Amino acid sequence: MAMEMLKGLGTTLKEFGKKPTTVSYPEEKRQLPPRFRGRHVLHRYENGLERCVGCFLCAGACPADAIYIEAEENTDEQRVSPGERYARVFDVNLLRCIFCGYCEQACPTGAITLENIYELASTHPEDLVYHKEQLLEPVGSATRGSIVDWTPTPPEATPTPLPGRQGYFDGLEASAAAVGQGDMPAEQAVFLGDDLSGMEHRRRLGEPEEGE
Amino acid sequence: MAEQEELVNLTIDGQPVSVPKGSLIWAAAQKLGIEIPIYCYHPKMDPLGACRMCFVEVEKMPKLATACTTTVAEGMVVSTTSAKVKKGRAGTLEFLLINHPLDCPICDKGGECDLQDFTLRYGPGGSRFDLNKRHFEKPIPVSENILLDRERCIACQRCVRFTQTVAMENGLVMEQRGFRIEVGVDPAAPFDSIFSGNVVEMCPVGALTAKNYRFVTRPWELKKTPSVCGNCSVGCNVRVDVRVDKVLRQYSRTNDAIDDGWLCDRGRWDLDWINDTERLRTPLIRRDGQLQPVSWDEALRFVAERLRAVRDQRGARAIGGIGSTHTTNEEAYLFQKLLRAGLGTNNVDHAHGRFPATEPGALPWAWSDSIAGLEQASHIVLLGADPYHRQPIVDLRIRKAIRAGARVYVVTPEANRLDRLVAGVIRYTAGHTGTLARALLNIITSDGLARGEQGAQRAADRRASVAQETPERAAQVAGVDADALRELAREIAGAKGAVILYDEAATLEPSGATLAADVLDLALITGNFGKPGAGAGPLLADNNSLGARDMGLLPDTLPGYRPVGDAAAHAALGGAWLATLPAEPGLSYTEMLSGGVKALYVMGANPARDATPEQLAALDALDFLVVQDLTLTETAQRATVVLPAVAYTEKDGSFTNTERCVQLVRRAMQPLGGAKADWEILVGVARALGLGWTYLSPAEILSEIGRTVPLYAGVTRRSLGAEGVRWPFAPGERTPEGRATITGSPSITWQMLAEGVARAQKPGGELIAPRGRGE
């Protein structure tokens, strides 16, 4: 009896001087690995436009059916994202989410990533349906998030030079043709001018050009 | 099949197949279930051979052949999987993708795009093209509803060919040549056709997209339910596409007998009334002059109490019911059953055209032939009918008949979209369709144009009744060209097969009281009856106009057109319904609206919208008005009780279209919270009245209809199948599982007419004795 007690006390004494593995949360917070999958963040381009084009691919990839999107068309007066389409509604139900990260893999523009935000608790379930305003990074911030740590450097030469100039479609370097201009420089020369619509062209062929 | 078609034997990928002579390799492969990718070819249009996607290898042919332009030959050996074919298809796709932008993530077609699908299945993994793709201004509108994204176009020309050869409305043209080729709007003909939406559906890429579907969803988010369009009386087979709680569009479900694979823009997109945020979500009872929300229990109890009170105080004849041409057959049947068996009154009617009272066992007023039969007609006459605006897909079938050589005569008061395509156009003063029909009868009976023994007999019967109605008189009254009428009468009389169609609305004109009978006689006398491609009948207004009549929403007939006074029908129906039925005919629609009743039950109709001031006053003077509807209509605003109902996309049931085809409607979405289907409401009211109805589903109601209504004998949800059956029905062969099936008749014959349509296909012995269609 006494022998066992001493044995147990010995274990305690042995560990006494060592550094503890626990941290005293919330005063102290643990350094998380870069690929930790916490809450989603929606990213912006340098020019402030949202990366998300409202394509529904994340919602389609989601095994838990946690993402709900409603898309709408950009106008010149109200431009939210590059290209024609943006997400007017973007809801993530974190109660359904299983933090698998498929959404960020499905995203063609690198708009959504899972970040190391893990303080997700509430006494009201509806608080855990995060809306676009809560998920979106603030204006002025243009991060790329954990996708940088997830995506391997592309191989130098690839058999397919399409669709991105990098040789693969990671969404980071979206081609202008794919999802709009983003913060990429516009593609240089346009192969076919759009200044002449078909009918105008035909009309001009029938008439002598001005100045000729 | 009267004639055995000549078959050709060939082998595709080692599988033998026999197809009719003249078939394309593509169709033969289709029969075997082998996919040959196509872009420019469309099974409903002539081959073009522009896209080079359907390459197959045919033995002994030096080069790859296009499956969509090569007809089959005896002993042909075709391969769709050889290395050469794979290389050919991959090459075509690589070319197509040179200029196709990869904006799939934001393209409306992404997910149901042939270019995406075939690239995945047959395409190269990459491209050797490393220059810049061409770019155009993003979508330009080609019509009010449709946008064109020229970058995405692969120049298959399906859309252009549709507008030019199928719709014959023009609108779209190909502009320029070679790599500059693009789709453009015809400067001479704006693209404003009611069939325009079909080009969006058939575009194999996202070049043509619908404005109202733009960016609203992705195809994989849609729940797709096969159903029937609830718009006009054609009953096109559709796929209802729903996302969460909104109907976004209807796509065609290709039923060659009805829609031939096309849809009109109304059917395709006019669905906002289902998604209307103003729809009712709770029953309302008028208290202190205001409609106030109440629970379903309270509302149903209140309705039953008040109906019972009116019946006890003023008798059953003080209660009336106005049904709808939009609700399902099951609901129409239950509605009249509630009024007749539950409340004991024959005051049941709905808004409909004027059709003379049906003799016992005679032909119910319906199109005696079918939509598909139009293709076989040598002549088509439209009397006061404008199918382009009212039954668009019938109009499209008439265009197909025109291409097959039919002589079409448009006899309408106003300009018609068919005018420029047809053999003859006759104009007259509006309101005189009936005058014209009688003038035609006059010419035919007095000029001896009758054909056949039965025709001559019928002509002799009718000669006296139309003796005064000479074409000269019609010219005077209706401002019509008498000689044109004479020519038309001769054309009808000499036709190999003529179809004469009039609009239901024309029977409501002052001259239209006997229009239905006159037009039928016109067809009978000239021998244009009883065969495909010949016949007569009304083009009805709404999706279930005919079903409402079939189901007895009429004051003088029980379901299946049996007179209310018929003792045998009373015995049969009363036995099934466990009730004694009233024998005297009830009040008509207008009589009920003119103060004939004290309590009015309105299901899915809005009589107040078209009512006269006197009728409105009578509506306001009612003791009790119940309205079942989706929104607070003009009638519902005057109601004592309003019960919220649901649309046809939210319930099961069946519709009967204008050519007598009974088809299944399937629930495509959750019903709006708080609202109930009309049949559920009727069952609720009946139970509150203590009637002990136990229906749990429309399938049960339809089975009861199949048992109790001779015209619908044998009908069950299962026997209607995917494409519906056209009445009169006959018992069909049993399925391998031993289930009973029914078959329909494409056209009504003299024989059926003489014996009475209902008699022709009698299920048991409970039917009334046959009598001729009496004059």
Side-chain angles (χ1 to χ4, degrees), chain A residues 83-84 175-181 187 190-194, chain B residues 95-104 106-107 115 133-140 147-155 179-183 203 205-208:
Chain A
E84 298 172 83
S175 79
V179 280
Q181 300 291 323
E187 288 190 29
V190 177
F191 192 49
L192 254 185
D194 190 41
Chain B
F95 270 124
L96 288 178
L97 288 168
I98 280 180
N99 271 319
H100 190 85
L102 294 181
D103 59 353
C104 307
I106 57 161
C107 174
L115 190 60
K133 295 182 181 232
R134 60 180 188 169
H135 288 294
F136 290 120
E137 185 193 332
K138 274 293 184 185
I140 51 171
L147 300 166
L148 168 67
D149 188 321
R150 290 167 291 169
E151 289 174 16
R152 294 182 189 148
C153 178
I154 58 169
F179 71 95
R180 287 182 188 273
I181 196 166
E182 61 181 63
V183 175
C203 180
V205 292
L208 290 163

Side-chain angles (χ1 to χ4, degrees), chain B residues 330 333-334 336-337 550-551 559-560 562 568-578 693-717 719-720 729 740 742 758 761-768:
Chain B
E330 289 81 349
Y333 173 83
L334 279 195
Q336 58 87 32
K337 182 175 171 182
D550 289 354
M551 289 300 115
R562 287 167 297 173
H570 270 217
L573 265 186
W577 292 353
L578 304 174
W693 287 9
T694 55
Y695 306 107
L696 291 173
S697 68
E700 270 180 48
I701 306 167
L702 192 63
S703 299
E704 183 180 314
I705 294 170
R707 286 195 306 276
T708 58
V709 182
L711 188 66
Y712 278 54
V715 165
T716 59
R717 271 188 89 73
S719 67
L720 290 181
F729 307 125
I742 51 172
Q761 320 286 337
K762 67 181 168 77
E766 84 273 31
L767 287 177
I768 46 170

Side-chain angles (χ1 to χ4, degrees), chain A residues 78-99:
Chain A
Q78 202 218 355
R79 179 153 288 282
V80 179
S81 72
E84 298 172 83
R85 179 170 175 150
Y86 75 96
R88 181 170 56 83
V89 174
F90 194 110
D91 291 350
V92 180
N93 186 341
L94 290 171
L95 292 170
R96 298 199 71 139
C97 178
I98 58 168
F99 302 97

Side-chain angles (χ1 to χ4, degrees), chain B residues 373-707:
Chain B
L374 288 171
E375 283 176 38
Q376 286 156 271
S378 70
H379 289 68
I380 299 169
V381 181
L382 295 173
L383 264 182
D386 183 11
Y388 178 86
H389 288 107
R390 288 171 59 84
Q391 297 87 7
I393 296 301
V394 170
D395 179 273
L396 203 55
R397 193 69 80 134
I398 292 173
R399 286 162 199 253
K400 195 172 179 186
I402 291 173
R403 287 197 299 281
R407 289 177 70 76
V408 175
Y409 284 84
V410 175
V411 188
T412 53
E414 274 155 26
N416 194 296
R417 287 284 276 230
L418 282 171
D419 283 353
R420 65 188 171 82
L421 302 169
V422 300
V425 176
I426 298 177
R427 290 279 119 83
Y428 58 93
T429 320
H432 286 287
T433 316
T435 317
L436 261 63
R438 286 194 295 277
L440 286 172
L441 262 184
N442 175 291
I443 300 166
I444 280 166
T445 52
S446 56
D447 291 5
L449 294 174
R451 283 197 293 191
E453 198 183 314
Q454 289 158 309
Q457 179 63 38
R458 174 79 59 180
D461 292 348
R462 284 305 304 265
R463 190 167 296 129
S465 62
V466 291
Q468 305 303 315
E469 306 273 354
T470 59
E472 282 66 32
R473 184 178 167 271
Q476 215 169 32
V477 179
V480 70
D481 181 356
D483 292 334
L485 273 188
R486 284 216 166 76
E487 189 210 321
L488 175 60
R490 274 195 298 279
E491 287 278 345
I492 296 174
K496 201 167 122 271
V499 180
I500 310 166
L501 298 170
Y502 56 94
D503 197 288
E504 185 185 6
T507 63
L508 292 168
E509 294 168 0
S511 69
T514 58
L515 179 65
D518 294 338
V519 173
L520 179 61
D521 280 332
L522 201 57
L524 290 172
I525 293 170
T526 54
N528 290 307
F529 197 80
K531 53 190 178 188
L539 288 171
L540 299 171
D542 295 325
N543 55 342
N544 207 26
S545 283
L546 187 59
R549 299 178 63 79
D550 289 354
M551 289 300 115
L553 281 190
L554 295 168
D556 51 355
T557 56
L558 296 169
Y561 302 98
R562 287 167 297 173
V564 288
D566 191 314
H570 270 217
L573 265 186
W577 292 353
L578 304 174
T580 317
L581 304 181
E584 71 283 7
L587 301 175
S588 71
Y589 181 79
T590 38
E591 285 166 341
M592 280 190 272
L593 283 182
S594 322
V597 292
K598 281 293 159 197
L600 191 61
Y601 196 137
V602 178
M603 175 178 81
N606 189 8
R609 186 182 46 200
D610 308 314
T612 59
E614 297 79 48
Q615 287 175 332
L616 283 182
L619 272 180
D620 290 334
L622 287 170
D623 282 359
F624 185 53
L625 174 63
V626 196
V627 176
Q628 278 174 219
D629 217 317
L630 270 67
T631 52
L632 213 55
T633 59
E634 289 90 337
T635 315
Q637 284 165 21
R638 297 161 191 273
T640 326
V641 181
V642 184
L643 303 171
V646 301
Y648 71 99
T649 53
E650 298 161 86
K651 61 191 176 191
D652 284 327
S654 64
F655 289 153
T656 307
N657 78 354
T658 192
E659 42 132 39
R660 322 184 310 279
C661 192
V662 188
Q663 307 189 86
L664 287 188
V665 178
R666 288 182 188 80
R667 191 168 95 169
M669 60 200 290
Q670 285 291 326
L672 184 75
K676 286 187 181 193
D678 289 296
W679 69 269
E680 284 177 292
I681 303 175
L682 292 171
V683 170
V685 170
R687 291 179 72 86
L689 279 166
L691 292 178
W693 287 9
T694 55
Y695 306 107
L696 291 173
S697 68
E700 270 180 48
I701 306 167
L702 192 63
S703 299
E704 183 180 314
I705 294 170
R707 286 195 306 276

